[in-house]
Amino acid sequence: MKSMIKELLFATIIVSVVMVVINLVSCASAPAPSETTPVVSEESKKAPKKEYGKTEFMEDVGVALEKQGNEEALKLFETKLPKKLANDTDILFVKAAINFGAAKYDEADSICSEVLAQDETHADALSLKAQIAKMRGDKAAYKSQIDKILAKDSMDPQANIARADDFYSKKNYGQAKRHYAIALKREPNNIEALDGVGRCEYYLENDDSAKEYFNSILKIDPKNANAYLYLGKIAYANNEYKIASDNAKKALEISPDNYQYNMEYGMYERCLGHFKVAEDCWTKAISIDPSYFLAYAYRAGLYDEQDMFSKAYTDYLKVIELNPKYYYAYESLGVIALHENQWETARKAFMKCAEFNKNNISYPLMVTYCYYMEKNDAQAQKYSNDVLRKMPNKNSIEYTMLRLFHDKKGERPVPQKIASLQNGNVKGKMYYYLGLFYDMFGGREFADEYYAKVVTMNSPMFFEYRLAEWRVKDKKTANGK
């Protein structure tokens, strides 16, 4: 979407350049105005009509371009252009620019080459040739053209912005900032360069400087939505959620159908506890681009947080459909499936998680558990055995716990081994799985004891904490508490 906007923007700029060239040529060729009214003689009235030349042709092209569009303007080069002007560099460049505006990149490129054959330093032709290479996706040619422009004029604003954009795309924000700043030396109000420096300062965590640049943009263009967007991002990074939300709302008022603005506003509103507003924003983002996964993921998390399991489940499935490599969705889907006792769905989700993160023992433990709950003990033991054979440290608590699940016995020394762990998250996870072991193979009283240990840790940095909470809650409900 952004690339399309940039292409249209450049096409608009090209039209402006064409009009400027046309006006310059017209002004240069037109006779100087006289302060007195000339006396027209009879002889002059009989004088032959003025020859149709460069000025008249450029004016006709300008009118056609403005009122009828690219194609009609191009027809004039075949029907009205005097032969003696066929190689005029001004006219050739205008023709190239109009072809570019019509997305006829081959024709535009060929004509630019004609111009440069006559004048190898023709700045406009070099710039246009660079944009053609960019539209074609020819990175080498694009870089070559920018190099030529900068070799001719190291301060050229658009070339420096182009070079800055390249550094920015590679996350080299220091070099990008330097080139955007060079562009500003000649054009201090260039919004594209101001925005570029502001973004670089944001990613370099120079928040005060970034704010100055985005506020300076708003002084020039009070309806610059992107400036409000980044002012919101800066506020959010500093935990100023209300300020972040206010800025994102202003961006949305300017451009209500922008996917990113809806995503950001929803995120800030969620931080403020305004869940319905956040949900509406992400639902709007989905309507704008239903093929992109992120809004579904955000909305699923919101539903999940509010225990709206059915809606969360549906959204997580959509996330996986649209982005099969987004493994966090598999984990969340697996957790909800466990809550709903959908063992096969949960198992497949955790198997996917294990593919993405082979070092997290939680996933093999969960897969093994799900196989047992599916009454498929043989597959549970085969799967866990395959994992155990590949584990390098046979003395680790992770190996011990999976071995326990595989063997269905041998739990006696495990509680002491868990109690000696220094890492709180690992300790909590292992207490949960010990409780799950007792849940599977008898001893619900012991299971509840270990679930309670997990919950009293009050450190939900692992998904098993939530599962332990549900178990404890179920017990209280069953006891009528």
Side-chain angles (χ1 to χ4, degrees):
M1 188 177 291
K2 286 183 179 179
S3 61
M4 185 183 297
I5 292 170
K6 278 197 170 184
E7 182 174 346
L8 291 171
L9 178 61
F10 190 80
T12 303
I13 292 170
I14 286 298
V15 170
S16 300
V17 170
V18 170
M19 299 306 294
V20 168
V21 171
I22 289 170
N23 289 333
L24 286 174
V25 171
S26 299
C27 292
S29 305
S34 173
E35 294 183 2
T36 59
T37 304
V39 177
V40 181
S41 65
E42 289 300 320
E43 289 76 9
S44 64
K45 288 181 182 179
K46 296 177 183 179
K49 192 175 181 180
K50 184 181 177 183
E51 181 183 5
Y52 183 82
K54 183 174 181 178
T55 302
E56 292 74 24
F57 176 75
M58 287 293 219
E59 287 173 350
D60 286 346
V61 170
V63 171
L65 185 64
E66 192 171 1
K67 294 184 177 180
Q68 297 173 290
N70 295 316
E71 294 300 333
E72 291 302 315
L74 286 172
K75 287 179 183 178
L76 298 182
F77 289 88
E78 305 300 324
T79 60
K80 297 193 73 173
L81 178 65
K83 290 183 179 180
K84 67 179 182 178
L85 298 175
N87 294 319
D88 185 282
T89 55
D90 288 335
I91 290 176
L92 284 172
F93 172 72
V94 169
K95 185 179 180 182
I98 297 172
N99 272 287
F100 179 89
K104 297 181 177 181
Y105 301 135
D106 289 344
E107 292 90 334
D109 189 40
S110 176
I111 298 167
C112 281
S113 295
E114 289 183 50
V115 174
L116 292 169
Q118 295 186 57
D119 178 6
E120 62 182 14
T121 64
H122 195 289
D124 290 333
L126 287 169
S127 295
L128 184 54
K129 215 166 174 46
Q131 289 301 322
I132 294 166
K134 187 175 184 179
M135 292 303 171
R136 287 171 167 170
D138 189 338
K139 294 180 180 179
Y142 178 65
K143 182 180 181 303
S144 174
Q145 289 303 129
I146 296 299
D147 287 342
K148 288 178 182 178
I149 296 169
L150 290 175
K152 177 179 178 291
D153 180 3
S154 64
M155 301 293 287
D156 182 277
Q158 288 305 315
N160 273 288
I161 289 172
R163 181 55 46 81
D165 287 344
D166 184 47
F167 280 119
Y168 183 87
S169 68
K170 297 173 183 175
K171 298 184 179 181
N172 187 340
Y173 302 122
Q175 284 293 337
K177 174 182 167 183
R178 185 174 75 84
H179 282 280
Y180 286 129
I182 292 173
L184 288 172
K185 288 181 180 179
R186 188 173 290 175
E187 297 180 1
N189 289 332
N190 186 308
I191 289 178
E192 192 176 359
L194 288 168
D195 178 76
V197 177
R199 284 182 284 113
C200 289
E201 294 287 42
Y202 168 74
Y203 286 111
L204 292 169
E205 299 183 11
N206 299 325
D207 291 348
D208 289 340
S209 178
K211 282 196 286 188
E212 286 182 17
Y213 280 101
F214 290 119
N215 280 317
S216 67
I217 290 173
L218 292 173
K219 289 178 181 177
I220 302 167
D221 176 13
K223 291 190 175 182
N224 190 291
N226 199 59
Y228 285 117
L229 171 71
Y230 272 90
L231 287 171
K233 285 176 174 288
I234 294 165
Y236 177 74
N238 290 281
N239 300 320
E240 297 171 334
Y241 302 132
K242 181 63 169 64
I243 296 174
S245 178
D246 289 344
N247 278 293
K249 187 175 182 180
K250 288 176 183 176
L252 269 179
E253 288 170 354
I254 297 166
S255 184
D257 294 327
N258 183 286
Y259 186 95
Q260 186 179 9
Y261 301 165
N262 277 282
M263 292 296 295
E264 297 281 336
Y265 184 49
M267 183 169 65
Y268 306 149
E269 286 293 288
R270 179 182 182 177
C271 291
L272 291 169
H274 304 156
F275 290 169
K276 184 62 173 69
V277 178
E279 179 188 352
D280 290 345
C281 285
W282 295 330
T283 301
K284 176 67 180 291
I286 288 169
S287 71
I288 294 168
D289 186 358
S291 66
Y292 190 52
F293 77 98
L294 196 58
Y296 294 101
Y298 277 35
R299 194 175 68 175
L302 183 67
Y303 290 147
D304 202 349
E305 185 179 344
Q306 299 175 85
D307 291 342
M308 299 166 70
F309 299 122
S310 177
K311 288 185 173 182
Y313 183 86
T314 300
D315 274 355
Y316 283 131
L317 283 176
K318 193 67 178 179
V319 172
I320 291 167
E321 174 192 329
L322 295 172
N323 186 358
K325 294 183 179 181
Y326 193 73
Y327 101 84
Y328 301 105
Y330 290 105
E331 182 177 287
S332 298
L333 180 66
V335 170
I336 293 175
L338 288 176
H339 182 271
E340 302 299 312
N341 296 334
Q342 296 178 4
W343 310 118
E344 183 181 358
T345 299
R347 171 175 56 78
K348 289 180 178 178
F350 287 120
M351 289 178 86
K352 274 290 184 183
C353 291
E355 289 178 18
F356 289 112
N357 188 347
K358 299 182 185 298
N359 296 322
N360 191 334
I361 195 61
S362 295
Y363 304 138
L365 284 165
M366 277 300 178
V367 172
T368 304
Y369 167 67
C370 289
Y371 271 128
Y372 280 130
M373 299 308 291
E374 291 177 77
K375 309 301 181 185
N376 193 342
D377 290 24
Q379 193 60 38
Q381 291 184 313
K382 180 183 183 305
Y383 175 83
S384 55
N385 185 61
D386 289 343
V387 176
L388 286 166
R389 291 178 63 185
K390 296 174 184 176
M391 293 180 72
N393 187 354
K394 310 301 182 186
N395 296 316
S396 67
I397 186 63
E398 290 82 4
Y399 182 91
T400 299
M401 188 59 68
L402 188 57
R403 180 91 257 169
L404 181 62
F405 272 42
H406 176 273
D407 295 343
K408 304 184 187 179
K409 61 183 180 180
E411 73 277 9
R412 186 164 294 181
V414 176
Q416 186 176 355
K417 191 167 184 176
I418 296 174
S420 67
L421 294 171
Q422 299 300 310
N423 186 303
N425 283 335
V426 176
K427 181 184 288 188
K429 288 169 68 170
M430 292 302 110
Y431 273 138
Y432 171 77
Y433 287 109
L434 184 57
L436 200 60
F437 168 80
Y438 283 116
D439 236 347
M440 284 189 288
F441 304 119
R444 180 60 196 257
E445 184 177 342
F446 290 116
D448 291 337
E449 175 188 342
Y450 290 113
Y451 293 145
K453 278 182 178 291
V454 178
V455 173
T456 56
M457 293 177 70
N458 197 29
S459 56
M461 300 298 292
F462 45 92
F463 73 82
E464 292 89 349
Y465 181 92
R466 191 178 186 197
L467 298 174
E469 275 192 314
W470 286 339
R471 294 286 186 171
V472 170
K473 184 178 178 181
D474 289 345
K475 180 187 176 184
K476 288 180 179 179
T477 302
N479 292 338
K481 295 182 180 179

